[in-house]
Amino acid sequence: MTRTAIDAHVHIWNRTRGETFIAERQFPALTGKAFLPEDLVPVLAATNAASAVLVHGPATVEHALYCLELCRTQRVFRSVIGWVDLRDPGCAAQLSRQSGDPGFRGVRFTPMLDSDPEGYLRSDGAGTVCAGLQSGGHLVEILAPQPLFGAVADLARAFPGMPVVLAHFGLPDGSTQGFDGWRQAMARLAALPNIHVKLSGLPLSANSDADTAMARAHVKAMVDLFGPQRLIYASNWPVATALASPAYWRNLLDETLEHMQMGAPQRDALFHDNAARLY
């Protein structure tokens, strides 16, 4: 492993709060499990990470405020990515409730939870919130698959002073059949200098040969298109535990970058410096 990392994407699932965790629909094995700050500590140790960015789990303002409270009391968290309801006329007020907190770094847009995902990203609420984020020096994260990349690009163009972070490689399916189309779509996003990508969330199988091939293809594409300065390491804990351990992904990413013969400064940027700058 290279230098100590910042894990740019983790969640907390506190079952005592009675919240709904959407990832359970995709990964039933996680149903009923709790993932708390004390559970994260050994995960960070196993992945050579010193701190983590806490991203909201349930898509509610109340959960986002809970994340900010955790950031104030738990040293393991570096900052928080919150959430606002873009369909609510009061979304600007929701943003204000969070943005004054020193731990706040931005919000995540969740179009796939909306009945009209593209309309969600092109809504007046999205424009209002992005304007507030840009003026406050904050960023937006977007969890969006390839069909929504056009709307992602339009937001990045409309708000060039706001970093836009695309989560989880842009949600590729990991197949060889879909790779070329995904890469071409990502190339169009890479032309916009304020777009960054989190290296997390590949559909791993815990089959070493298959995962190595998938990681090498997808990571090389991202390095070629975006360069190391716009890529951000993340574990996607605890969701990723349904497929493989965070340490498995960290080691796989390390081995992939070693195979690419990436230099130490570039690796430091990917694992630490970019997240330190953005988060």
Side-chain angles (χ1 to χ4, degrees):
M1 288 188 182
T2 56
R3 66 174 291 181
T4 303
I6 295 171
D7 187 339
H9 199 105
V10 304
H11 306 287
I12 292 299
W13 292 11
N14 185 341
R15 295 291 174 177
T16 68
R17 293 176 53 81
E19 295 172 323
T20 299
F21 301 97
I22 302 300
E24 291 177 338
R25 298 177 186 175
Q26 184 179 4
F27 302 113
L30 300 177
T31 300
K33 293 183 178 181
F35 300 93
L36 301 173
E38 54 267 33
D39 301 316
L40 176 61
V41 172
V43 173
L44 295 182
T47 54
N48 195 31
S51 62
V53 177
L54 179 55
V55 179
H56 78 87
T60 67
V61 174
E62 290 71 24
H63 183 81
L65 294 171
Y66 169 62
C67 289
L68 288 167
E69 178 184 347
L70 286 175
C71 190
R72 290 191 295 271
T73 60
Q74 304 285 334
R75 295 183 62 185
V76 70
F77 299 121
R78 179 182 184 87
S79 57
V80 168
I81 298 299
W83 184 86
V84 299
D85 183 357
L86 300 187
R87 297 300 195 180
D88 189 327
C91 60
Q94 295 177 7
L95 176 61
S96 295
R97 291 181 67 190
Q98 301 168 55
S99 61
D101 191 292
F104 177 84
R105 280 302 299 136
V107 300
R108 182 169 69 153
F109 288 177
T110 51
M112 302 310 292
L113 301 181
D114 193 88
S115 60
D116 178 11
E118 183 156 354
Y120 170 99
L121 289 177
R122 298 187 183 279
S123 66
D124 291 342
T128 296
V129 170
C130 285
L133 292 169
Q134 180 170 261
S135 66
H138 298 129
L139 61 83
V140 67
E141 292 198 5
I142 306 180
L143 181 63
Q146 185 175 328
L148 297 179
F149 285 2
V152 172
D154 286 345
L155 278 176
R157 291 189 192 98
F159 300 95
M162 175 188 67
V164 176
V165 179
L166 186 67
H168 307 329
F169 283 89
L171 300 175
D173 64 12
S175 70
T176 54
Q177 297 86 351
F179 179 82
D180 287 343
W182 165 82
R183 191 189 188 284
Q184 291 169 12
M186 292 296 286
R188 291 189 286 272
L189 293 182
L192 298 165
N194 57 328
I195 294 184
H196 306 71
V197 179
K198 280 186 177 178
L199 301 188
S200 57
L202 281 182
L204 301 175
S205 65
N207 177 301
S208 179
D209 291 342
D211 289 346
T212 295
M214 178 170 55
R216 287 183 179 180
H218 286 76
V219 172
K220 183 179 187 304
M222 293 298 88
V223 172
D224 289 346
L225 293 173
F226 290 87
Q229 301 301 323
R230 289 196 283 156
L231 302 177
I232 308 160
Y233 160 74
S235 72
N236 194 28
W237 179 88
V239 177
T241 62
L243 300 172
S245 72
Y248 178 87
W249 169 237
R250 173 69 204 260
N251 289 332
L252 181 59
L253 183 55
D254 270 320
E255 291 167 1
T256 299
L257 298 177
E258 183 176 355
H259 177 77
M260 294 173 58
Q261 299 183 329
M262 180 178 284
Q266 292 75 28
R267 291 162 70 103
D268 287 348
L270 188 154
F271 281 109
H272 179 275
D273 298 347
N274 300 337
R277 170 171 46 88
L278 290 169
Y279 299 97

